[in-house]
Amino acid sequence: MTKVAADYGVTSTALKKTCYRHKIPTPDRGYWAKLGHGKPVRKRPLLPRLTDTKLDRVHINGGTSERMSEEVRKAGTEVRERLASMNLPLTAAATASTESDATEPSILGATRRAISKGRPDVQGFKSSQGRGIVPLKVAPNSIDRALQLLTRLFTLAETEGYRPKISDSGLDLATEDQAIAFGIEERPRKTPHEPTTAELKRKDDNLRWGFSRAAWPQYDYAPSGRLSVVIHGNYYSGLRRTYSDSKTKLVETMLPEIIAGLAEHAAHLRERRRADEERQRQYREAEVRRAREEAFSAREKRRLEFVDAIHEQLLERSKLSVVLAHLETAIAEDSNCAQSISVWIRRRIQQIDALTSPAFLDLSARSAKLGFVEPPNDRNGIDSGGYYSFPSTIQLRFWSIDDENELAKSISALEWATKAGLVPESESDDTTASQASGAFRPV
């Protein structure tokens, strides 16, 4: 089971549970040892017939190392190899004795003061947290061991470039570009709760009044002396976050593995940061493209509005020309009829010709802050704005051009007709004010 489980990247216990769940017989404990020494063993059973078709297929996800990226695996492997080559005295670290050659660093002074002043909770644990304080949750008897564990952890972590760094939430182990938050917790011992006389009486009272809630907790929790180093962060990454005392091994012997775990978490955080930066870059590029497309669509819409305004004038001119041709034919037969109408139509055609002349169209487009050449883009790929940032109403205008000063200003149709000699001066009295919207230099 151990060898086969290694091939799948899981433990032998996990593989055995999987086999049990899918009704697959497994060897008894000591089966291969007995078989190797020629002792009698249980006959290998056949696979049983299954009635549940869901058990036909077995899914084994494998260990977390199989799901880690190459960079994360490489970071952990390199740290393990370097620490293994250092021949660390793990036998000394394997004891839980608080006597150690390592001197407690001064940066742990705040943690020691905080945990020493704390009051035990109902389960008997003291807690410490805050700026520059390692998060601890241990029993009073485990305080010294926890601080010695931190001292050894800091000493070994420094060989790999990890140094204590004060943060708002605690005291992290950090490299030049990444900080890892962690803490130490003591695992509680769970025992079935023995109800007291008062709790038994409360249960009877609850039953008498029809209450169904439990009168006492199911378990009692108390300090066990089993310490754990817990890495805070990367909760759903699949990386190992907890390193605890076991029946045969203390957490002090796991310090090299903890340092390797820190390296894996740091590599994973770097990957996440790069992925976030890439997503932000793509988002910014998409926003730039969207803004440029919206600006382009807005410019195209205004350009079409300007062209529609010209087309509307040209349609009116065509209509007037048809009517004028008809009147000229009629006037040829009766010269005294419709003369005034023909004069007005000719004047109107002259106005349209002026409105749609290249010079006036150029000035009207500039007045409306409308360009027919795509504006340049700035460094970020967004329109530079300026002249095109605040578009005004699309409108064909009449213009008075001052050649001497090379300026032009918008005037009313009556003012233009008067200046052009199409309307007598007397008709222009009491006209409305000029519709000047700014001065432009004619091109």
Side-chain angles (χ1 to χ4, degrees):
M1 295 292 289
T2 303
K3 294 180 180 180
V4 174
D7 294 337
Y8 289 103
V10 296
T11 63
S12 58
T13 302
L15 182 60
K16 188 172 182 67
K17 289 181 178 180
T18 301
C19 293
Y20 176 78
R21 187 162 50 249
H22 290 267
K23 313 298 182 185
I24 300 173
T26 58
D28 299 330
R29 185 180 297 275
Y31 173 86
W32 296 105
K34 294 178 182 177
L35 188 64
H37 289 81
K39 294 185 177 181
V41 294
R42 183 168 64 95
K43 184 179 179 181
R44 180 182 301 177
L46 299 176
L47 285 173
R49 297 179 63 87
L50 295 177
T51 57
D52 188 355
T53 57
K54 295 180 181 179
L55 301 178
D56 286 345
R57 185 177 295 274
V58 181
H59 295 275
I60 299 177
N61 292 328
T64 57
S65 60
E66 301 298 326
R67 301 192 294 272
M68 289 190 296
S69 67
E70 180 63 28
E71 181 178 351
V72 175
R73 284 199 298 268
K74 182 179 179 182
T77 301
E78 289 178 350
V79 171
R80 291 183 183 92
E81 291 176 351
R82 282 196 296 268
L83 294 179
S85 64
M86 294 171 61
N87 296 322
L88 298 174
L90 297 181
T91 54
T95 65
S97 173
T98 58
E99 298 179 0
S100 174
D101 295 334
T103 303
E104 184 175 303
S106 59
I107 200 169
L108 287 177
T111 304
R112 178 177 283 278
R113 289 190 296 271
I115 195 66
S116 299
K117 293 178 181 179
R119 293 184 178 181
D121 58 17
V122 294
Q123 297 179 0
F125 296 106
K126 285 187 174 185
S127 298
S128 67
Q129 58 183 357
R131 178 176 175 81
I133 297 173
V134 179
L136 299 181
K137 185 179 180 181
V138 295
N141 294 336
S142 300
I143 292 177
D144 289 334
R145 182 191 168 198
L147 291 169
Q148 282 297 317
L149 176 59
L150 287 174
T151 300
R152 295 168 180 170
L153 178 62
F154 286 180
T155 301
L156 187 58
E158 190 171 1
T159 63
E160 291 298 322
Y162 291 88
R163 292 177 174 81
K165 179 181 179 182
I166 295 176
S167 67
D168 293 336
S169 59
L171 186 63
D172 304 339
L173 282 171
T175 57
E176 295 180 355
D177 64 336
Q178 198 63 60
I180 308 295
F182 72 101
I184 293 181
E185 300 176 3
E186 183 172 344
R187 298 300 183 186
R189 179 185 294 108
K190 184 174 71 173
T191 57
H193 179 75
E194 293 292 337
T196 63
T197 303
E199 290 171 340
L200 291 172
K201 183 178 182 302
R202 190 184 307 125
K203 178 182 178 181
D204 294 337
D205 293 341
N206 290 345
L207 292 176
R208 184 164 51 254
W209 290 100
F211 297 151
S212 59
R213 62 175 179 268
W216 57 78
Q218 185 177 4
Y219 296 101
D220 290 328
Y221 297 90
S224 65
R226 296 175 55 227
L227 297 185
S228 299
V229 176
V230 181
I231 296 176
H232 301 153
N234 293 332
Y235 293 100
Y236 303 104
S237 63
L239 296 173
R240 184 176 179 179
R241 296 178 46 249
T242 304
Y243 302 84
S244 304
D245 289 338
S246 64
K247 294 181 179 179
T248 60
K249 184 186 298 185
L250 296 178
V251 71
E252 285 83 353
T253 63
M254 305 178 191
L255 290 179
E257 186 62 27
I258 294 174
I259 304 302
L262 290 176
E264 292 173 348
H265 280 270
H268 182 72
L269 289 174
R270 293 188 192 97
E271 281 189 343
R272 286 176 52 188
R273 185 174 65 247
R274 287 196 296 268
D276 291 340
E277 291 173 353
E278 178 63 19
R279 282 194 296 269
Q280 290 295 327
R281 185 190 65 80
Q282 293 178 0
Y283 174 78
R284 288 193 298 270
E285 289 183 353
E287 283 296 299
V288 168
R289 288 194 299 270
R290 182 190 61 78
R292 292 187 62 185
E293 289 173 358
E294 288 183 354
F296 178 77
S297 298
R299 290 195 298 270
E300 290 291 279
K301 180 180 179 181
R302 287 172 53 78
R303 289 163 181 166
L304 285 175
E305 290 175 359
F306 190 78
V307 171
D308 288 340
I310 300 173
H311 184 252
E312 183 179 352
Q313 294 294 327
L314 295 178
L315 286 178
E316 182 178 349
R317 188 187 190 287
S318 176
K319 178 176 62 176
L320 292 172
S321 298
V322 172
V323 174
L324 181 61
H326 169 71
L327 291 177
E328 287 177 345
T329 302
I331 290 172
E333 299 175 357
D334 188 354
S335 60
N336 296 323
C337 298
Q339 285 287 351
S340 60
I341 299 176
S342 298
V343 171
W344 177 85
I345 291 177
R346 290 190 184 93
R347 188 182 74 184
R348 182 62 183 165
I349 290 176
Q350 286 181 284
Q351 289 178 324
I352 294 175
D353 289 342
L355 276 177
T356 56
S357 65
F360 278 18
L361 288 178
D362 179 68
L363 290 171
S364 296
R366 294 172 62 188
S367 173
K369 299 181 180 179
L370 176 65
F372 286 84
V373 176
E374 296 305 319
N377 299 323
D378 64 11
R379 292 173 299 174
N380 296 323
I382 303 177
D383 290 345
S384 56
Y387 186 73
Y388 300 93
S389 296
F390 304 99
S392 57
T393 305
I394 297 294
Q395 184 180 359
L396 300 184
R397 300 175 182 269
F398 292 95
W399 297 91
S400 174
I401 301 176
D402 185 353
D403 293 327
E404 182 178 352
N405 296 319
E406 296 184 348
L407 293 175
K409 71 174 182 178
S410 173
I411 59 177
S412 68
L414 179 57
E415 288 177 311
W416 178 86
T418 302
K419 289 180 179 295
L422 302 178
V423 177
E425 288 287 342
S426 58
E427 293 186 19
S428 63
D429 294 340
D430 301 325
T431 57
T432 57
S434 171
Q435 301 175 358
S437 60
F440 302 93
R441 296 189 181 276
V443 179

